[in-house]
Amino acid sequence: MVDYGKEFMLYLMDERCYDKYFLEFDLLDGDCFRALLSKGLGFGIIAGSVLVKVPQITKILANKSARGISLFSVCLDLFAITIHMAYSFVNGFPFSAWGDTSFLALQTAIIGILVLFFGGSPVASAAFTVGYGALVYVLMGGITPLSFLLLAQGFNVPILLLGKLSQALANYRNGSTGQLSAVTCFMLLAGSLARIFTSIQETGDQMMIITYGASSFANLVIAVQVLYYWNSDKSKKGAASTGASTAAKKPKAKSKKTD
């Protein structure tokens, strides 16, 4: 049991930190604490990512509508996530540093499929599914050279910003966030902020750090819109119900008799 316990702990920390904690009982080592915190955050983010976009998917299915969701934004977001996932996988970075992107990619692809399907294009929805599966195989199956993935990762920041901010622009034009899920938006913001720290700690890759910084900014813009339009919608509904109630209570004018 001791050996199994050590193997598990060595998956979360290196040999030096294991000795510090369990042999020397030095629990105040700063470097080991940051490394352990990063691993814990990484696996926590991965666990959360399994369901992060499920509220969005269920909201679309429940309403049988993807109104207000920009397909252009979804596709750009999916491309950025997929490139990041492939870049990290091929580079051999720890799964705790990028594993959430695999679940985010799957869920974002499902959202894209649903947007097309409920938009009246089932054939395009099926073609999208096949095309995306082929893209993932090409990028992660050893066919694409690392130099190309590095170049594509460099374009990730403007692509990610363009995708997220195009959704923000659609929200502004519609005066509403439509079928966007507030839970999903806030979970994405929290995850991208935490990923800045884990990327610094576990990979030191400047490109990944910059990417998550840009993602955090874009997610923050959309989260602020969700709050703004949520309160705005509540005010409109309150005003509408008050107006309807007043109209209902208003007595009818008596008609005057004329001789």
Side-chain angles (χ1 to χ4, degrees), residues 145-165:
L146 180 59
S147 57
F148 175 82
L149 291 174
L150 178 61
L151 180 65
Q153 180 72 2
F155 284 104
N156 243 5
V157 173
I159 289 172
L160 190 150
L161 287 174
L162 181 61
K164 292 281 188 181
L165 296 180

Side-chain angles (χ1 to χ4, degrees), residues 224-245:
V224 169
Q225 283 187 319
V226 167
L227 288 175
Y228 176 80
Y229 289 120
W230 191 354
N231 292 330
S232 178
D233 289 343
K234 278 185 176 180
S235 300
K236 287 178 183 176
K237 287 179 182 177
S241 61
T242 303
S245 175

Side-chain angles (χ1 to χ4, degrees), residues 189-200:
L189 174 59
S192 59
L193 287 170
R195 272 296 176 212
I196 297 174
F197 172 72
T198 62
S199 297
I200 293 171

